[in-house]
Amino acid sequence: MSKGTLFDKVWDLHTVGTLPSGQTQLLIGLHLIHEVTSPQAFAMLRERGLKVLFPERTIATVDHIVPTTNQARPFVDTLAEEMMQALERNCQENGITFYNIGSGSQGIVHVIAPEQGLTQPGMTIACGDSHTSTHGAFGAIAFGIGTSQVRDVLASQTLALSKLKVRKIEVNGTLKPGVYAKDVILHIIRTLGVKGGVGYAYEYAGTTFEQMNMEERMTVCNMSIEGGARCGYINPDRVTYEYLKGRDFAPKGEDWERAVVWWESIKSDADAEYDDVVVFDAADIPPTVTWGITPGQGIGINQFIPAPEQLPPDDRQIAEEAYSYMDLAPGKPICGTKVDVCFIGSCTNGRISDLREAAKVAKGRHVAQGVKAFVVPGSERVKQQAEAEGLDKIFTAAGFEWREPGCSMCLAMNPDKLEGRQLSASSSNRNFKGRQGSASGRTLLMSPAMVAAAAVKGEVIDVRELL
Ligand code: SF4
């Protein structure tokens, strides 16, 4: 069992007690809610005559269903409008802060909480969305939860959870030019497998993560769940504190000084014991792209789609399924694969630094004929910042559409959907069958810079050729 790790310390500090099931009742410091997984939870609360116990520890935004073009109310999609109204009503009735469209702070739940300083080291955080692991970038322990657990947190501010093992994933060295945080996490998942992290929290350590900025760290932690880990985190350090200082909800004055002392104390000890340790060399990580139907089916940009006999026996069946669904043949290069749609956005890669990297590639070039390319900022603040820097102009001059903030084609619960067999180059986090709105649509995951490169070439290419 892990000992002396940040996970261990934060878990113990938030333990309320042990339940008859043997699970821990864990206090949740911050609960983030959105329109998709909360309406039923509030309904369950009402049925039982319960109230939200700590409304001040619950923050709401709207992200999954928002249109990214016409946001006029009522929404054209009546189901989306109903969800929106339910969230507005539930927040109002329960005194919950809601960052609605036009508030200046709306956006994807995992983008807005860090940018406002709500996400802080040593916290426990829960949200009814799988990619809540994002918040671990700050040294928080953050869990994606289901609707009945959203109900539990609303009613009791606690969750019943079984303690996880901790795997330290160490990556050392400087990434090569054209290799980004997204490539690092795709490489890790590809190596350890999509189920490799089941039962674990992932602690990311080593000089590569130390050199990353907070947004890059968020990209890595965001996809921990795609590697099977329930959460992922990075110990807080100077980079974390510099990012947090001065943000809306960050401690101020003497509280700040006290907070830093506490944050330093919850870091994993130098002699911490881990349940497992895996070490990577940053120099071995290439720009990485998925070819299949799980985020673990990835390859280096200049590699060939693996043949079944090159894969472990357990991976062969899903590979066969992927060749046929994706219409990509084993033994062929992924470079040169024609793309129809290019999507830059999501809670993985919809932050300002992602847009800056993609804009560097798009600048002075033009989207290839027949390709639909669009950029969806992760939040209203990201959009505002990008426009202040003129990134929107770079994108639109290059033929990209510049949209309003939201989840958009990450999950396609709004009007942004693939059509038929379209193939998308996407900076999001899941390439499951039908994920982007068409039951037969296909997705290749990659970094935002690689998506921009695919957009201007009309096919998957090595972004380094354009840098
Ligand atoms: S961007 Fe995608 S993964 Fe992130 S919160 Fe929205 S739907 Fe979920």
Side-chain angles (χ1 to χ4, degrees), residues 295-377:
Q297 290 176 318
I299 46 175
I301 184 66
N302 293 312
Q303 293 179 325
F304 299 104
I305 296 168
E309 56 275 16
Q310 294 173 282
L311 297 168
D314 284 354
D315 293 348
R316 289 178 192 165
Q317 196 188 331
I318 187 85
E320 295 287 1
E321 220 182 300
Y323 304 138
S324 127
Y325 183 82
M326 297 298 291
D327 202 14
L328 295 172
K332 292 276 182 330
I334 194 72
C335 257
T337 305
K338 298 275 178 235
V339 299
D340 303 300
V341 175
C342 292
F343 167 61
I344 297 172
S346 85
C347 61
T348 313
N349 282 126
R351 296 184 180 80
I352 189 68
S353 55
D354 299 313
L355 306 194
R356 285 180 190 139
E357 292 303 325
K360 276 184 206 163
V361 177
K363 191 170 186 174
R365 300 191 169 97
H366 203 277
V367 170
Q369 212 175 2
V371 173
K372 173 192 169 81
F374 62 116
V375 184
V376 184

Side-chain angles (χ1 to χ4, degrees), residues 32-51:
L32 302 168
I33 61 170
H34 58 85
E35 75 283 14
V36 178
T37 48
S38 70
Q40 254 186 304
F42 280 106
M44 289 190 263
L45 231 59
R46 269 193 292 273
E47 274 166 26
R48 294 179 188 207
L50 297 169
K51 289 227 162 308

Side-chain angles (χ1 to χ4, degrees), residues 63-64 108-110 129 131 222 346-347 407 410-411 429 435:
D63 49 10
H64 288 65
I108 306 173
V109 64
H110 311 310
D129 182 274
H131 296 85
N222 173 279
S346 85
C347 61
C407 295
C410 172
L411 182 60
N429 46 50
R435 168 78 177 180

